[in-house]
């Protein structure tokens, strides 16, 4: 949709926790999870909970793939509440999730960035994807790409669709995959402007469970729709205020100024709605720990040689002129793509 604010979730196959899900739901219209499939029907939550407990207490070590499987199982019964927000792009026909062409090369490079170069005569093997039957159902199955194949998939999806990445795992590398200039890019500019504006006006709010978040999004839709439409319109002014070679930090500063001078006075209605003491989330915030959102532009450098850079370039079909002398001189390929590092700080609310 032209007037929607979208993102691609990079870290893993489902939102890591309720705090992440709440922030995604507050800020974005839709968040994509490339290559993942969840059933849409009602599921047996008790049977799923028993299976989670069985896996936890089976005696087998809980590695990162098993931990992500447990999070997918835990999320499965709640998916129905956030279907308008969380868009899982695979179908039930994709046996182990839908893995894009080129994901293998990127996944292997992510493995190298996480663990370092492998020792001699050691060849890492990564699981492409998984399928897990839903407990309590004879037909329903969760299907998703493996640990490093998933962020590789997300990187490709974001690049193809020119949608910003959202990451809440600062330890997970994000390789650079080609330049995207903010100038004349309405989606990127409106995303930056919206986040800077939201940072000004979002009150303290607790992490919401999926059903609570669904209720919040339904009730707040008239307010958030007009707000996001205004962001898209204001992105034209932001575009005019920046140079064609502007760095993202400069764009962020210009957006922050616009948010403080133009946006903030116009969104008191949205602020008032969220802070209304009649709302159930406000009452919950008075009793429990509250959540402060933090969204920051983050960059990563990709240690490269010509072989690695070429592998990543070919994986995406990008036509980039890589010269040996330039790579030898610089020894690294800096990111010109950007992503947002999304984090939630929890503090104790006043008694």
């Amino acid at each position: 949709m032209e007037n929607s604010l979208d993102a691609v979730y990079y870290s893993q196959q489902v939102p890591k926790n309720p705090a992440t899900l709440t922030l995604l739901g507050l800020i974005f219209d839709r968040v994509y999870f490339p290559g993942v499939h969840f059933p849409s029907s009602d599921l047996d939550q008790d049977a799923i909970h028993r299976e989670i407990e069985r896996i936890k207490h089976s005696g087998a070590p809980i590695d990162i793939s098993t931990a992500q499987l447990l999070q997918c199982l835990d999320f499965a019964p709640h998916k129905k509440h956030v279907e308008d927000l969380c868009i899982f792009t695979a179908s039930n026909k994709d046996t182990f999730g839908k893995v894009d062409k080129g994901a293998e090369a990127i996944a292997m490079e992510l493995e190298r960035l996480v663990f370092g170069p492998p020792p001699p005569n050691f060849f890492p093997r990564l699981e492409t994807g998984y399928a897990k039957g839903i407990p309590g159902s004879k037909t329903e199955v969760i299907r998703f790409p493996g640990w490093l194949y998933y962020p590789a998939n997300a990187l490709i999806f974001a690049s193809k669709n020119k949608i910003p990445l959202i990451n809440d795992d600062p330890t997970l590398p994000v390789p650079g995959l080609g330049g995207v200039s903010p100038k004349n890019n309405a989606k990127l500019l409106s995303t930056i402007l919206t986040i800077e504006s939201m940072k000004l006006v979002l009150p303290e709010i607790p992490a919401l469970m999926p059903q609570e978040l669904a209720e919040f999004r339904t009730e707040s839709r008239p307010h958030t729709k007009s707000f996001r439409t205004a962001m898209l319109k204001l992105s034209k002014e932001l575009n005019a205020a920046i140079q064609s070679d502007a760095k993202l930090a400069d764009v962020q500063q210009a957006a922050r100024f616009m948010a403080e001078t133009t946006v903030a006075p116009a969104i008191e209605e949205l602020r008032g709605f969220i802070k209304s003491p009649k709302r159930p989330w406000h009452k919950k915030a008075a009793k429990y720990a509250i959540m402060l959102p933090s969204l920051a532009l983050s960059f990563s450098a990709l240690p490269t040689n010509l072989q690695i850079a070429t592998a990543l370039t070919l994986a995406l079909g990008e036509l980039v002129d890589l010269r040996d002398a330039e790579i030898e001189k610089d020894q690294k390929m800096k990111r010109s793509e950007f992503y947002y590092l999304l984090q939630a700080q929890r503090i104790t609310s006043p008694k």
Side-chain angles (χ1 to χ4, degrees):
M1 298 179 191
E2 184 144 348
N3 289 337
S4 69
L5 196 64
D6 301 340
V8 178
Y9 191 63
Y10 177 74
S11 315
Q12 59 179 45
Q13 303 87 346
V14 294
K16 188 171 290 186
N17 51 47
T20 290
L21 180 63
T22 301
L23 291 186
L24 295 174
L26 287 172
I27 296 170
F28 296 101
D29 290 295
R30 296 177 298 187
V31 180
Y32 290 90
F33 297 79
V36 182
H37 167 72
F38 276 94
S40 297
S41 57
D42 288 337
L43 303 176
D44 187 337
Q45 191 166 348
D46 291 336
I48 291 174
H49 177 72
R50 288 194 296 270
E51 176 66 1
I52 291 173
E53 291 302 308
R54 184 194 67 79
I55 295 173
K56 285 182 178 178
H57 298 97
S58 66
I62 304 294
D63 59 13
I64 189 166
S65 295
T66 305
Q68 291 184 345
L69 169 62
L70 293 174
Q71 288 182 309
C72 287
L73 281 172
D74 186 60
F75 181 82
H78 307 291
K79 183 251 186 183
K80 62 183 180 181
H81 298 302
V82 289
E83 288 189 329
D84 68 318
L85 170 65
C86 299
I87 311 300
F88 300 95
T89 68
S91 74
N92 199 36
K93 296 180 180 179
D94 299 307
T95 306
F96 299 110
K98 185 177 182 181
V99 178
D100 282 316
K101 183 179 179 181
E104 180 180 3
I106 300 174
M108 293 303 295
E109 184 52 34
L110 286 173
E111 200 273 347
R112 178 188 291 263
L113 291 173
V114 171
F115 296 108
N121 300 318
F122 177 80
F123 303 96
R125 179 178 177 273
L126 301 176
E127 293 293 339
T128 305
Y130 299 90
K132 170 65 176 175
I134 299 289
S137 171
K138 295 181 179 180
T139 58
E140 302 291 12
V141 180
I142 303 172
R143 307 181 188 277
F144 55 91
W147 170 44
L148 292 178
Y149 269 85
Y150 175 78
N153 240 21
L155 220 49
I156 294 173
F157 187 91
S159 177
K160 285 182 177 178
N161 295 280
K162 303 190 185 311
I163 303 175
L165 286 170
I166 291 290
N167 179 30
D168 60 354
D169 183 357
T171 67
L172 188 61
V174 187
L177 296 174
V180 175
S181 171
K183 186 72 174 178
N184 300 324
N185 192 319
K187 283 190 174 181
L188 297 190
L189 291 176
S190 60
T191 298
I192 295 172
L193 186 57
T194 299
I195 288 175
E196 289 303 320
S197 300
M198 283 292 194
K199 284 159 68 174
L200 285 177
V201 304
L202 274 179
E204 300 165 346
I205 188 167
L208 302 175
M209 296 303 292
Q211 187 169 356
E212 296 172 321
L213 180 61
E215 294 169 357
F216 171 84
R217 283 169 58 84
T218 298
E219 292 188 36
S220 66
R221 188 164 289 126
H223 308 281
T224 56
K225 183 178 180 181
S226 59
F227 169 71
R228 287 166 184 160
T229 300
M231 294 302 98
L232 286 167
K233 291 179 179 178
L234 281 171
S235 67
K236 296 179 181 179
E237 296 183 27
L238 179 59
N239 189 60
I242 63 175
Q243 302 296 321
S244 58
D245 60 348
K247 297 184 182 299
L248 285 167
D250 299 328
V251 180
Q252 217 178 357
Q253 183 177 2
R256 191 175 302 120
F257 175 79
M258 189 171 291
E260 292 171 347
T261 58
T262 305
V263 180
I267 54 176
E268 284 302 314
E269 181 182 353
L270 177 59
R271 183 206 292 264
F273 169 80
I274 298 175
K275 293 187 71 172
S276 170
K278 297 179 181 179
R279 305 294 174 183
W281 48 85
H282 187 279
K283 295 174 184 177
K284 186 177 177 181
K287 292 180 63 178
Y288 302 106
I290 57 178
M291 182 184 66
L292 300 179
S294 172
L295 286 145
L297 279 173
S298 300
F299 295 84
S300 67
L302 174 63
T304 66
N305 54 38
L306 181 59
Q307 181 180 5
I308 296 172
T310 302
L312 290 172
T313 301
L314 294 177
L316 286 181
E318 297 283 349
L319 299 176
V320 179
D321 186 10
L322 297 172
R323 296 181 176 86
D324 290 10
E326 290 180 356
I327 292 178
E328 290 174 4
K329 178 181 178 181
D330 191 34
Q331 291 302 311
K332 64 182 180 179
M333 183 168 65
K334 294 182 179 178
R335 286 180 52 77
S336 51
E337 182 78 57
F338 76 89
Y339 75 101
Y340 286 102
L341 182 65
L342 177 151
Q343 295 174 303
Q345 297 172 310
R346 301 297 296 273
I347 63 174
T348 303
S349 59
K351 300 289 184 181

